[in-house]
Amino acid sequence: MSANGGAHHECIPMHPKRVLVVGGGSAGWTAAAYLNATLNDAGNRFAQVSLVESPDIPRIGVGEATIPNIRGTLAAIGIDETDFLKAVDGTFKQSIRFVNWLDTRRRFYHHPFSRYSSGQTDAGRRWLMSDRSVPFINTVSAQPIFCEMGLAAKTLANQDAGLSLDYAFHMDAQKFAHLLTAFSTARGVQHHLDRVVGVDMHENGHIAAVKTASGKRLEADLFVDSTGFSAQLIGKQLGVGYTDCSRWLLCDRAVTMNVPYEHHYPGYVRPYTTATALSAGWVWEIPLQTRRSLGYVYSSDFIGDDAAERELRAFEGDHCEQMPSRIVRFRVGRREAQWAANCVAVGLAGGFIEPLESTGLYLSQIASSVLAEHFPLGDDMAPLAFRFNRILANRFYEILDFINMHYCTTRRRDTPFWREVARPERINDRLKAKLEYWRIKPPSVSDFEDQFFPGHPDARLESGGINGDNRYPVDTGRLWNHYSYETVLYGMDCLRDECNGWFGEARSRPAVLQKVLDAIKTGPSTLPPHGEWLKRVVGMDDFPSTRDAAL
C-alpha cells in the first residue's frame, strides 16, 4: 500500500525499450551497466538491456587513469568503491604531475582534484600580484604536497580524513570490464558472446537487428555502438562522418608497456598519474597494485615506432629491456553525430582525444549518463538525439581545448615536435580567443558563464559543431572551471611578462591559504602512505623493493 492508503503500482511500460549494446570492453559494459541500473531501479523497468561482444577480441589489461566523476558513475551503478579497488587492481589518483612540459629542466607542476577557498574566487589574481616564488597550486591546495609525500586519500579506517580531498582511481580497464560484466549480468543484462557479421535495416533508415556468426538475429529499439575505432554501426552502416582534429593534437600513436612489481618494484605506489614530456610526445605512468603501466604517446611524423620504443625503454631504465611492448594507433577526432537514427556511439566509436587529462573513460561515462537522461520513452528520438549530440559535442571540444593548451603554452624548442606544437597554427580558434582575452584580464569565474570571447567566429568551424547544428561549440565549465585553467596556465608560467607590466616587478611573496597550512600540519599524521593503505585495506601484496627510490 502507498502512504496515502492507495495501492502501489510499479511503473512498468507495456513494452520496455530493447537496448542492444554492440561491443564490450569498459565503454560498452559501462553503458550497459549504467542504463540497466538507472532505468530499471525501484521497481521501474524502462529498458531491456543486452550486450553482444565477440569472443575473438583479445583481452589485454591496460592501465587506465580516471577523473573524480568515476565515483559518481560507480555510485549510480551500485558498485562499492572498496570492492571496485579490489577487483580492478586499483589505486588512488589525487592529481596529475606534469614533468618537463614547460621546458627541459625537469620542472613539474601538479593538477590536483582538490583546492581550498577563502570564500573568494580571485586567488589566481592575488597570486599573479605576488612574486610567484611559491607555485600557484601550492597556495590553494595541500594535495600536491600530500602527493609528493606519497599519502593515500583516506585513513586506514577507510574514512575521509576531514581534509576535503577529492580523488579518482587508477585501474586495469579490462578488469573493470570483467567486474561490470559480472555485476550487470547478475542484475538482468543479457550477455551474448558472438561475432556480429551483418546488419538488417528498417525502411526508415533505422537499424532493425544485427546478425551474428552463430545465426542469431538480435533485434532492438535502440542500438549502442561500442565497437571501437571500427565504428561498425555508426560509421560503416549508417555512414556518419568523422571530424579529424589531428591538426590541433599531433600525437597519433602510443607504445605501451607493463612493468610488473615482481620484476621491479620501486618501493612505493604513487597516488597520482605522471605525464612526462619526451622528444615527440609524453609518457604516462599509471601505478596499479601489481604493476606500473607505461605509455609513450607520440607523433609518428616526428619519431618512428622503433625509436619511440627505445626512448620509452631509456626513460624507464635497464630493468625494462625484456618487457614486451605494443603499438596502438589512433586518430584524434569525433563522429559528426554520436546519435544517428536509433544508434548511439560510445567510447572510441564516438571519438578520441589523447588521455593527457585522463578523459578516456569520462567520455564513455558521460555518454552513458546523458543517454540515460535522454532515454526515449516514446518513438520520436530525433529531438533527444539533437540535444544529446549538442551536449556531447560541447564536452568533446571542452576537452580538446584544454589538452591543446598544455602543448601551445610550452617554451620547449629543443625538438621539431615541440617547435611545431607551439606554432600559432596549432592553436584552435576557441582556445586562441580565450588565451588572447586572458592576456588582457586573467581567468575568472565569470568567464565560464558564457564562453564566447572577442575573436570567436560566429560561424561553425571545420573543427567544431555537428551536423544540423551550426552553433559554435561552447565550454560551459562543467568539467573544468577557471580553477583548472589557472592551475595549468600558471603551472606553465603563463602571464609572467603581463604581470610585470600590470603589477610591476617588485612584488611580495605569495600568501598561502591558512586552510592549506593547517592541512599540511595534520595530513601526514592522519593519512597513511598510499602503499600501506592498499596493503591494509584492499589486500595489495607486499613486494620487496628492487631499488631505493624517492617520490
Side-chain angles (χ1 to χ4, degrees), residues 373-417:
E373 182 183 341
H374 293 75
F375 191 76
L377 301 178
D379 295 328
D380 189 2
M381 298 187 186
L384 300 170
F386 180 90
R387 285 292 300 161
F388 177 94
N389 286 331
R390 175 66 182 176
I391 293 166
L392 268 294
N394 283 342
R395 295 288 73 71
F396 178 90
Y397 291 112
E398 179 182 8
I399 296 171
L400 180 69
D401 285 7
F402 199 64
I403 304 303
N404 191 198
M405 183 173 66
H406 289 68
Y407 286 103
C408 70
T409 53
T410 185
R411 292 183 194 152
R412 292 187 61 153
R413 300 293 185 270
D414 54 302
T415 67
F417 172 83

Side-chain angles (χ1 to χ4, degrees), residues 424-472:
E425 295 83 357
R426 296 301 184 182
I427 309 175
N428 74 62
D429 289 341
R430 289 175 309 280
L431 177 61
K432 188 179 298 183
K434 295 176 189 177
L435 295 179
E436 289 177 354
Y437 185 66
W438 289 333
R439 290 188 180 99
I440 301 171
K441 178 200 75 64
S444 63
V445 64
S446 63
D447 296 338
F448 291 81
E449 293 293 327
D450 178 1
Q451 280 267 306
F452 197 85
F453 296 112
H456 267 159
D458 292 327
R460 170 183 171 184
L461 296 182
E462 178 185 350
S463 63
I466 57 175
N467 280 352
D469 185 356
N470 291 325
R471 293 172 300 159
Y472 205 80

Side-chain angles (χ1 to χ4, degrees), residues 185-197:
T185 53
R187 287 157 180 78
V189 173
Q190 189 173 4
H191 185 197
H192 304 276
L193 273 174
D194 213 340
R195 184 166 52 89
V196 172
V197 296

Side-chain angles (χ1 to χ4, degrees), residues 22 225-242 331 335 343 345-351:
V22 180
D225 187 345
S226 178
T227 59
F229 287 123
S230 65
Q232 292 182 21
L233 301 184
I234 197 81
K236 292 179 180 176
Q237 186 64 39
L238 296 181
V240 176
Y242 193 84
R331 284 195 301 164
R335 290 290 149 192
C343 178
V346 301
L348 298 178

Side-chain angles (χ1 to χ4, degrees), residues 1-9:
M1 300 291 286
S2 65
N4 62 7
H8 171 76
H9 297 283

